[in-house]
Amino acid sequence: MNNPQLNDKGELIHLLTLEGLPAEVIGRILDTAVPFVSVAERDVKKVPLLRGKTVFNLFFENSTRTRTTFEIAAKRLSADVINLNIGVSSTSKGETLLDTIDNLVAMNADMFVVRHGQSGAPHLIARHLSAAGQTGIHVINAGDGRHAHPTQGLLDLFTIRHYKHEFSRLTVAIVGDLLHSRVARSLIHGLTTLGTPEVRAIGPQTLLPAAIESLGVHVFHDMADGLRGADVIVMLRLQSERMKGALLPSAGEFFKHYGLTQDKLALAKPDAIVMHPGPMNRGVEIDSAVADGKHSVILPQVTFGIAVRMAVMSMLASS
Ligand code: CP
């Protein structure tokens, strides 16, 4: 089937999801990000790869990490960056998403970074641009509904590869609210595509998607069983803003069974790393002693996010 993210030479033209993205393309993005770490860490100030290009950040949902790191990444690639303030844009006067896009295209946009509460919104924009013959304008999904968060998945893969060097012998445990998590879905697709032999989904029945095993993961309802021997632990936030009805007795009860404490962490491998995409709720899914402890790579994830987003934007611009 035709992949709308790739052109006929197999080059990335949009980044919408990691589902179906070939391992070779994911590997190329991770490799491209490696030299950008020195730009993310400010050893190198700027590179001119997006000079003359205009990137629009369109965030219809709140964000701290993704929005800011996309802005930093685009600026360090020398692009002009426009952060559309959705609250004071004409969206609040009833303008449709696609009318907004058409107007920004008329302002000579080169790239749209889109976060939206509706799953599929970035795909809709990509299809609309293609139908309008705007094949030189690129769309990056910065998180759509529960569906996908591909650059978060890529920065998670980059972090795992940085600390563990390869995927083919790893056990990765993803813990908590997988039901509402686009981060978990993107990471699972990335891990399985890159050949991770053991991906575990740990959580109560009410917070795991039906048929999640079909994604190639093993389900655990007991956290101790799921963490035993893990190389990587990825903690997820309870996404109460997406929950319909009471899926849990209480946050305190959730922490008792699924919160990551030092005692539970001791069940994983001695050199296990602890990850979290943020925003983090201390005392709900993770204890502060773990979040700030020596196994935590939560803040390096954020820095690597700049490098990975630079890699994605530079690859799109050169396709
Ligand atoms: N990880 C992540 O998407 O965080 P933000 O919501 O702050 O962008």
Side-chain angles (χ1 to χ4, degrees), residues 59 61-69 115 142-143 149 152 155 182-183 237 276-279 309:
F59 278 65
E61 267 191 355
N62 295 342
S63 168
T64 298
R65 281 145 290 271
T66 313
R67 179 181 164 135
T68 315
T69 54
R115 170 168 289 189
H149 194 346
Q152 178 71 45
L155 79 86
R182 54 196 177 204
V183 172
R237 180 175 68 89
H276 194 307
R309 288 171 176 133

Side-chain angles (χ1 to χ4, degrees), residues 82-98:
I82 313 294
N83 289 305
L84 195 72
N85 188 340
I86 302 297
V88 295
S89 74
S90 292
T91 306
S92 58
K93 298 180 193 164
E95 184 171 76
T96 68
L97 176 63
L98 295 183

Side-chain angles (χ1 to χ4, degrees), residues 2-309:
N2 186 27
N3 188 329
Q5 307 187 99
L6 303 175
N7 66 14
D8 51 14
K9 290 187 225 151
E11 296 166 330
L12 201 64
I13 50 170
H14 303 293
L15 181 65
L16 306 174
T17 173
L18 297 191
E19 185 177 6
L21 203 63
E24 189 267 320
V25 177
I26 295 178
R28 211 179 322 143
I29 297 170
L30 301 185
D31 291 344
T32 303
V34 172
F36 288 135
V37 172
S38 60
V39 189
E41 291 174 343
R42 297 303 264 158
D43 296 333
V44 175
K45 296 288 180 212
K46 269 192 173 192
V47 289
L49 296 172
L50 260 69
R51 184 169 290 154
K53 305 278 185 195
T54 305
V55 176
F56 280 86
N57 265 340
L58 308 179
F59 278 65
F60 294 85
E61 267 191 355
N62 295 342
S63 168
T64 298
R65 281 145 290 271
T66 313
R67 179 181 164 135
T68 315
T69 54
F70 262 115
E71 181 173 352
I72 293 169
K75 285 181 170 167
R76 296 210 183 144
L77 289 166
S78 309
D80 295 320
V81 185
I82 313 294
N83 289 305
L84 195 72
N85 188 340
I86 302 297
V88 295
S89 74
S90 292
T91 306
S92 58
K93 298 180 193 164
E95 184 171 76
T96 68
L97 176 63
L98 295 183
D99 279 334
T100 302
I101 294 296
D102 286 342
N103 280 272
L104 300 178
V105 168
M107 300 175 204
N108 292 307
D110 293 292
M111 219 172 271
F112 292 115
V113 178
V114 183
R115 170 168 289 189
H116 204 287
Q118 293 293 324
S119 298
H123 283 75
L124 179 74
I125 296 169
R127 272 202 307 274
H128 178 72
L129 292 171
S130 169
Q134 297 286 0
T135 51
I137 304 178
H138 310 286
V139 180
I140 303 175
N141 181 358
D144 62 329
R146 303 179 182 191
H147 171 237
H149 194 346
T151 57
Q152 178 71 45
L154 289 165
L155 79 86
D156 290 343
L157 294 171
F158 187 93
T159 305
I160 293 170
R161 195 176 78 164
H162 178 85
Y163 289 101
K164 298 292 166 191
H165 312 299
E166 50 77 51
F167 294 92
S168 67
R169 286 190 289 275
L170 291 185
T171 296
V172 179
I174 306 174
V175 188
D177 180 6
L178 280 83
L179 179 65
H180 302 96
S181 178
R182 54 196 177 204
V183 172
R185 263 176 260 281
S186 287
L187 179 57
I188 290 168
H189 287 305
L191 287 169
T192 53
T193 301
L194 295 183
T196 311
E198 177 76 0
V199 183
R200 300 176 179 171
I202 305 173
Q205 190 79 51
T206 49
L207 292 181
L208 297 180
I212 189 172
E213 288 95 339
S214 66
L215 299 182
V217 305
H218 294 120
V219 168
F220 292 80
H221 298 304
D222 183 278
M223 192 169 175
D225 289 344
L227 290 186
R228 215 158 266 128
D231 299 282
V232 177
I233 303 170
V234 181
M235 299 305 299
L236 300 173
R237 180 175 68 89
L238 286 178
Q239 305 204 20
S240 9
E241 73 277 17
R242 297 190 207 287
M243 289 185 192
K244 293 192 179 75
L247 299 175
L248 293 167
S250 68
E253 191 69 10
F254 180 80
F255 183 70
K256 190 168 130 200
H257 293 287
Y258 296 103
L260 187 62
T261 57
Q262 299 272 36
D263 287 351
K264 291 191 194 127
L265 175 57
L267 298 165
K269 292 221 178 110
D271 62 348
I273 56 170
V274 174
M275 298 170 48
H276 194 307
M280 187 162 61
N281 288 320
R282 293 167 184 262
V284 178
E285 70 267 4
I286 191 164
D287 191 48
S288 278
V290 177
D292 305 326
K294 67 178 181 2
H295 295 263
S296 171
V297 297
I298 294 170
L299 293 178
Q301 279 179 267
V302 178
T303 310
F304 292 149
I306 298 173
V308 165
R309 288 171 176 133

